[in-house]
Amino acid sequence: MTQRDLTYVGGTEMVTVELAKELAERGHEVAVYTPRTGRIANIMISSGVWVRDRLSDIPWVPDIIHGQHHLQTMAALAKFKETPAVYYCHGVLPWVERPPVHPRIGRYLMMCEWLVPRTSPEYGLPPEKVVVLPNFVNLARFTQVRTPPARPLRAALFGGWLQPEDVSKLEAACAKASLKLDKIGYNHENPLERPEIFLQGYDVVFAIGRCALEALACGCAVIPLMPGQAGALITPATLSQYAFSNFSPRYFVTANQISEEWLIEQLAQYHPDDVLTVTATVRERQSLQKAVDRLLELYAEAKAATVPAEAEAPSSEFAPYLETMGREADVMWAELEAMRGRLKAESGEVRALKQALKRSERAKEKVEADFKTLKLRHDLTAQTLREHWMGRWLLGRVRRLLRHAPQEAEAKRCLEPASAPAAASPS
């Protein structure tokens, strides 16, 4: 199996992990080639899966290449020159997901039916090689089904694919509908990694793709959302419609936007029995175990449909892919150079702004120092003035006392009783 990255938990990462583990537990030898490996690889290693970041480190020649992400798939086809392959297409965006064309790819597996009419004509895939292998949920992991309440109270935005303005609208709509909303995902700085556990606490989940499927399997009501587009509550009547597009709203089908009125309308369709019916159908139709049963059949079909390597001219085997890569690489190179030019210009602006900021900081420090000096002078001047006015007040007091002292002495003398005349002394 090939996988572009195994450093964090994501959609294609968990597809690789669960398929590899299930195949290994059924007795198959499985190796996963990924240029970037991380702790998520340990989940597979414990089941006996080889995880390597170099194709030359795989100790045997595989019977089948299970390709995911076109660069890694083509590298494996170049390394194992006689091995047939299947390519599991999870989407056409981003660029790394787009399916390559190669004669030894005997089957192109589409994640949902919606991908078939687009990928076949756009990438020149032979229609007879294109089949649908729907997304799946591991029932050995998602064992618990919750009991939906009569009225939903708690909601989760599961996944980090909405724009900030959409998240704000959803928060306002949930508040209006008396739903407590939690946001789960890397973009929300809340990357919880055990959905089989935390989904048990939510009545309504806003999600698409694998996240929506896992929530449905747990007994949650699910409303798919995409940037700028709001879906409808998944009910028994709309389940097949949403499974067709891997539980995502489709453009040009609905013009609903996230709003308070939209959410209230969706919640009005909520019924616990409908939730349980949808959950039972999902668990019956889209289990990992059924997916691997079908996958093994497709491996056999791909091996039977593959043209033997010796019947192909070696020089033409990779020519269509390299021609496509050449065109796309030139476009991406031009875009990269343009971005580098903008980055260089913006870096100059950033440097100028940093220098201006430093000058401003120095000026600010000088102003603060001058302010401290002026404040000190102000305080000293104020103290001097207080002492000056206190001295003047005391001096005036003394002057008044001195000016009124003779008058007070005379008044005091006049108030004293007259003394008796002195007696005549005998002669």
Side-chain angles (χ1 to χ4, degrees), residues 158 161 206-213 223-226 246-249:
F158 184 18
W161 23 261
F206 302 98
I208 60 172
R210 187 176 183 84
C211 295
L213 186 61
I223 302 176
L225 296 179
M226 289 184 68
N246 195 25
F247 304 100
S248 297

Side-chain angles (χ1 to χ4, degrees), residues 82-123:
E82 297 183 0
T83 303
V86 301
Y87 185 82
Y88 201 1
C89 184
H90 297 270
V92 293
L93 293 174
W95 177 77
V96 295
E97 300 276 10
R98 291 162 59 174
V101 177
H102 191 277
R104 277 189 283 132
I105 300 178
R107 289 291 182 270
Y108 290 88
L109 319 180
M110 300 296 152
M111 180 64 73
C112 63
E113 294 181 25
W114 178 79
L115 288 173
V116 175
R118 176 172 181 179
T119 53
S120 293
E122 186 170 348
Y123 300 105

Side-chain angles (χ1 to χ4, degrees), residues 111-309:
M111 180 64 73
C112 63
E113 294 181 25
W114 178 79
L115 288 173
V116 175
R118 176 172 181 179
T119 53
S120 293
E122 186 170 348
Y123 300 105
L125 306 182
E128 69 275 8
K129 290 186 176 183
V130 178
V131 296
V132 177
L133 183 66
N135 209 340
F136 53 82
V137 61
N138 185 0
L139 299 184
R141 180 183 173 198
F142 290 83
T143 58
Q144 300 296 316
V145 175
R146 64 194 303 273
T147 301
R151 176 180 175 275
L153 298 175
R154 294 194 64 195
L157 173 59
F158 184 18
W161 23 261
L162 287 185
Q163 300 298 325
E165 56 269 24
D166 290 329
V167 175
S168 298
K169 292 178 182 178
L170 182 61
E171 289 174 331
C174 287
K176 181 71 173 180
S178 300
L179 274 179
K180 182 182 182 301
L181 178 68
D182 293 332
K183 298 181 287 294
I184 301 169
Y186 288 95
N187 285 5
H188 309 302
E189 299 182 353
N190 187 28
L192 304 181
E193 297 182 355
R194 299 294 301 277
E196 68 273 19
I197 294 176
F198 67 72
L199 285 173
Q200 296 294 322
Y202 295 103
D203 308 319
V204 177
V205 176
F206 302 98
I208 60 172
R210 187 176 183 84
C211 295
L213 186 61
E214 292 175 346
L216 290 171
C218 287
C220 304
V222 172
I223 302 176
L225 296 179
M226 289 184 68
Q229 190 168 9
L233 179 72
I234 297 178
T235 66
T238 61
L239 175 59
S240 295
Q241 171 190 340
Y242 274 105
F244 180 87
S245 59
N246 195 25
F247 304 100
S248 297
R250 284 178 291 147
Y251 291 108
F252 310 113
V253 174
T254 175
N256 287 337
Q257 301 292 305
I258 299 173
S259 67
E260 298 174 3
E261 295 76 16
W262 158 82
L263 182 57
I264 291 173
E265 180 183 350
Q266 301 312 311
L267 294 179
Q269 303 175 46
Y270 171 91
H271 195 282
D273 291 342
D274 288 345
V275 175
L276 290 176
T277 300
V278 170
T279 295
T281 305
V282 164
R283 293 176 72 87
E284 169 62 25
R285 293 179 181 175
Q286 296 187 240
S287 70
L288 166 65
Q289 292 69 28
K290 283 193 173 183
V292 172
D293 290 341
R294 178 59 177 146
L295 184 61
L296 291 172
E297 294 174 357
L298 294 170
Y299 286 167
E301 292 177 12
K303 292 175 68 175
T306 300
V307 178

